[in-house]
Amino acid sequence: MPTLATARFLVLAGDVLPLRKLSHISKRAPLYASVRFLSRTDRDNGPLTLASLGLKSDFEFETTNKKRKNNFQQPEASAEVFRSKVKPVKSTGIKEVQVKNPLEIEGAPFAAKSFPELGLPPLLLERLEKEGFTVPTDVQSTAIPVILKDHDVVIQSYTGSGKTLAYLLPILSEVGPLKKKPPSGDEPGKRTDIEAVIVAPSRELGMQIFREVEKLLGPGDKKLVQQLVGGANRSRQEEALKKNKPAIVVGTPGRIAEISAAGKLHTHGCRFLVLDEVDELLSFNFRDDMHRILEHVGRKSGADPCGAKNPIARRADRQMIMVSATVPFSVIRAARSWGQDPLLVQAKSVSPIESVQPSGPVNLTGHASSSSLSSNSHTQAAVESLPPALKHYYCVTRGQHKIDTLRRCVHALDAKSVIAFMNHTKQLKDAVFKLEARGMNAAELHGDLGKLGRSTILKKFKNGEVRVLVTNELSARGLDVAECDLVVNLELPTDAVHYAHRAGRTGRLGRKGTVVTVCEEPEVFVVKKLQRQLGVPIQACEFTEGKLLVTEEKAKNEKVGL
Ligand SMILES: Nc1ncnc2c1ncn2[C@@H]1O[C@H](COP(=O)(O)OP(=O)(O)OP(=O)(O)O)[C@@H](O)[C@H]1O
């Protein structure tokens, strides 16, 4: 360990420049005549696929020449060159960490294109302008034209890069009152079926997406979207479905499957099926509910004479959109099973899913050398899931001093809105109690709280009444609080994917954000492993005299290839 005299440096938020990828986009033409891999997974333990759902049991190939109605032209090849630079921090003197402006957008991932250039209809463009969305993000400008051309897609882009609008806007271009004018002969307003089903793994995320759709539809048409999240009153949801005849439903797998099984959700004519946080939806917990959803949504019975026998022909009717910041190979396999010639859409590239290999589900040419990455697909999924502007630190302390370290960390960074993660629900109350005893506004958020309790706490956190939200994995995915400027891991996440989703609650849409992992000495090797797997520097630090001090020499970072 370096001594105080030789190795203490000051962090002025930003000594380490973002490491990003060097990506080359294939110029290959889209694969329309393609080989489709139907399934190859273990039925009992593997991820959810057609095989695990009992629809297909063997690895199969099928050649299809079927063309989608519009051919997608891949964007011109582009190469982004980012250099990994580690600026030496000064070895003398100590400077204060700058006060953060949580809403300052440093490196927002906005694209060169405008919304009108993406082919969105005029009414939707008007709504976007009213809501203050003026420029699309990179992933939006790449994904929107692809989805508008009817392709099944897997959208992968880092946390907070705007994936929700990337799929909502093309859906709203085709569904509901903002859609494109129908071709002459079509009768507008006649359709009463549900046209889009959006599935999310948690109530909070479901409600967040639901509100985003409501907002875009505007006050006059907000009943055209219905939430079907668990924890809410089911009969009221069923009544609303009957009365309002929504075009879009957003919900959690359990509640959607439940209402569908009761015969009160008619989705056979559904055109869009979105699986948000798809890698989470593939987990064992959701297996039965997802089975029902995949079997029923967008499956028109009798629409195609081959349909009854041929699952591929039947599923041709719905467009699958799968989304996550982390895309392990299990998602790629699932996309091959459920989609028709699906495309992998990333911020600046589109490639056929067929070209994705198990060793590299997403472009891995960036942050770290491939040799330094584990071959584990889950680990690979975490690479490029982190916003490039995030800063990562870890601080070693004893278990009983963790809350105090958190308090000092919040003061040192002058953080206004903090999410602190722990692994077990039982410990959250105690942590909140200790923080409040030290004069810091804090609240706990977890699944055992009632629906009302959860939404009240989230509201208070969003409006600044609660400074520190102490929570568990429930809040790690999707939660969008723009003001959150600090994430603290009071306990280590289980793996790099979980680290990425937790970390992604801050630094959203190019804003500044800091992630501090508070750990005990024997856990430091896990932090080092996370650092290697994620390909980002995680610097050792201390909080002394109200300042964050980096305690790790540059040489150590160089050792891990950063
Ligand atoms: N074009 C845009 N202009 C301005 N703000 C935008 C734009 N697109 C999205 N946003 C805002 O950026 C924030 C992050 O977007 P979103 O939640 O869709 O990110 P995400 O990529 O889905 O993140 P995660 O992976 O964590 O779910 C949201 O508050 C959203 O309203």
Side-chain angles (χ1 to χ4, degrees):
M1 285 287 283
T3 64
L4 248 185
T6 60
R8 284 205 168 170
F9 306 105
L10 154 71
V11 177
L12 185 72
D15 280 319
V16 184
L17 292 183
L19 302 173
R20 292 188 212 154
K21 65 180 182 180
L22 169 66
S23 74
H24 298 278
I25 299 165
S26 162
K27 273 187 172 168
R28 254 192 317 156
L31 294 182
Y32 291 109
S34 69
V35 176
R36 193 148 346 104
F37 296 74
L38 288 180
S39 76
R40 58 187 305 183
T41 41
D42 179 307
R43 282 188 63 163
D44 294 315
N45 305 315
L48 194 70
T49 63
L50 283 186
S52 69
L53 299 176
L55 301 177
K56 281 275 167 188
S57 55
D58 289 310
F59 187 46
E60 272 187 43
F61 298 92
E62 189 196 284
T63 309
T64 172
N65 287 316
K66 181 181 178 297
K67 282 194 182 187
R68 292 285 191 161
K69 70 180 179 212
N70 296 304
N71 290 357
F72 172 69
Q73 300 296 316
Q74 272 190 255
E76 273 184 25
S78 67
E80 240 191 310
V81 182
F82 297 97
R83 275 184 208 94
S84 59
K85 270 195 204 167
V86 181
K87 278 193 197 168
V89 285
K90 285 181 187 162
S91 58
T92 54
I94 288 169
K95 290 182 206 159
E96 272 180 52
V97 170
Q98 275 183 330
V99 174
K100 288 177 185 295
N101 173 359
L103 292 178
E104 189 182 331
I105 298 186
E106 242 193 356
F110 289 127
K113 281 188 177 162
S114 65
F115 279 121
E117 282 174 89
L118 300 179
L120 299 172
L123 287 175
L124 183 53
L125 291 173
E126 267 176 43
R127 292 289 322 147
L128 280 172
E129 208 182 320
K130 260 195 194 127
E131 293 303 328
F133 296 113
T134 48
V135 188
T137 64
D138 276 334
V139 70
Q140 288 161 5
S141 78
T142 308
I144 290 169
V146 181
I147 299 174
L148 282 176
K149 286 179 176 158
D150 290 354
H151 288 277
D152 288 346
V153 291
V154 174
I155 304 177
Q156 188 278 328
S157 172
Y158 58 78
T159 52
S161 56
K163 295 187 289 296
T164 315
L165 285 187
Y167 66 77
L168 283 185
L169 296 181
I171 291 177
L172 290 170
S173 296
E174 303 279 336
V175 170
L178 307 172
K179 70 181 173 192
K180 286 184 207 129
K181 280 210 175 97
S184 51
D186 268 23
E187 289 177 75
K190 278 266 164 179
R191 206 181 167 103
T192 52
D193 272 356
I194 288 161
E195 295 185 68
V197 172
I198 301 169
V199 192
S202 73
R203 297 177 229 175
E204 277 69 23
L205 185 54
M207 287 307 291
Q208 199 173 281
I209 300 165
F210 165 72
R211 290 206 190 93
E212 196 83 9
V213 184
E214 265 193 338
K215 200 164 75 178
L216 288 167
L217 285 172
D221 291 305
K222 64 179 192 179
K223 289 205 169 140
L224 286 175
V225 59
Q226 168 70 41
Q227 59 84 3
L228 299 180
V229 301
N233 186 308
R234 181 177 145 189
S235 22
R236 245 183 256 154
Q237 290 171 337
E238 289 174 353
E239 273 164 37
L241 282 174
K242 208 165 150 191
K243 190 171 151 214
N244 301 329
K245 304 219 177 313
I248 302 171
V249 296
V250 186
T252 46
R255 183 52 58 89
I256 293 176
E258 211 178 358
I259 297 184
S260 163
K264 304 206 166 135
L265 187 69
H266 305 290
T267 54
H268 286 281
C270 182
R271 296 165 63 192
F272 296 96
L273 176 58
V274 180
L275 308 182
D276 202 334
E277 305 291 346
V278 58
D279 50 331
E280 178 73 7
L281 291 173
L282 295 187
S283 72
F284 189 80
N285 291 349
F286 295 118
R287 187 174 149 136
D288 293 342
D289 298 328
M290 289 305 296
H291 184 179
R292 173 147 197 116
I293 291 168
L294 286 157
E295 269 291 82
H296 288 261
V297 173
R299 290 285 173 85
K300 280 182 192 151
S301 49
D304 177 336
C306 311
K309 286 189 191 128
N310 183 350
I312 299 155
R314 280 190 300 165
R315 74 170 178 255
D317 290 319
R318 73 176 175 215
Q319 190 175 350
M320 290 284 302
I321 301 172
M322 292 166 257
V323 185
S324 184
T326 47
V327 174
F329 198 70
S330 55
V331 168
I332 300 295
R333 262 195 311 246
R336 286 175 180 167
S337 297
W338 302 333
Q340 260 196 303
D341 306 335
L343 298 170
L344 174 66
V345 177
Q346 295 177 279
K348 288 184 175 169
S349 71
V350 181
S351 46
I353 286 281
E354 299 300 340
S355 68
V356 180
Q357 297 304 312
S359 57
V362 289
N363 193 336
L364 295 177
T365 51
H367 298 310
S369 69
S370 53
S371 60
S372 72
L373 292 168
S374 152
S375 61
N376 178 312
S377 150
H378 223 55
T379 297
Q380 288 164 352
V383 178
E384 297 182 11
S385 56
L386 287 165
L390 275 193
K391 306 219 177 329
H392 305 262
Y393 302 99
Y394 73 93
C395 176
V396 176
T397 189
R398 292 172 65 166
Q400 65 267 38
H401 298 146
K402 280 190 173 183
I403 299 297
D404 206 45
T405 305
L406 166 63
R407 186 188 55 79
R408 285 187 288 124
C409 170
V410 171
H411 285 310
L413 294 167
D414 193 24
K416 304 284 186 287
S417 183
V418 184
I419 301 182
F421 284 100
M422 299 186 87
N423 294 338
H424 303 289
T425 306
K426 277 187 192 154
Q427 304 154 320
L428 305 181
K429 195 180 279 309
D430 190 45
V432 169
F433 180 79
K434 287 179 180 159
L435 283 168
E436 296 250 294
R438 289 162 173 79
M440 191 162 280
N441 281 343
E444 55 179 315
L445 181 71
H446 52 83
D448 296 347
L449 295 175
K451 182 181 163 258
L452 190 64
R454 280 158 72 164
S455 59
T456 309
I457 285 165
L458 259 183
K459 215 180 268 170
K460 284 187 177 174
F461 182 57
K462 285 183 180 178
N463 70 22
E465 274 178 73
V466 167
R467 188 173 184 187
V468 184
L469 187 72
V470 189
T471 187
N472 56 14
E473 228 52 53
L474 169 83
S475 311
R477 281 196 182 242
L479 192 68
D480 180 50
V481 181
E483 292 79 8
C484 176
D485 49 357
L486 172 65
V487 162
V488 177
N489 290 313
L490 280 175
E491 283 174 319
L492 287 171
T494 47
D495 56 31
V497 167
H498 286 81
Y499 182 97
H501 284 281
R502 285 179 175 192
R505 296 318 97 208
T506 184
R508 296 181 70 73
L509 206 73
R511 293 180 179 94
K512 287 179 180 176
T514 307
V515 186
V516 177
T517 299
V518 181
C519 64
E520 298 189 56
E521 189 66 53
E523 295 172 322
V524 170
F525 84 97
V526 183
V527 177
K528 298 288 174 196
K529 196 171 162 198
L530 287 170
Q531 175 174 254
R532 278 196 306 277
Q533 291 175 336
L534 291 156
V536 293
I538 307 179
Q539 293 179 286
C541 75
E542 283 180 7
F543 302 101
T544 308
E545 295 170 11
K547 287 159 196 148
L548 184 154
L549 307 174
V550 170
T551 58
E552 198 166 48
E553 293 155 298
K554 183 193 165 207
K556 286 195 175 176
N557 278 334
E558 283 172 343
K559 263 192 203 162
V560 295
L562 298 166

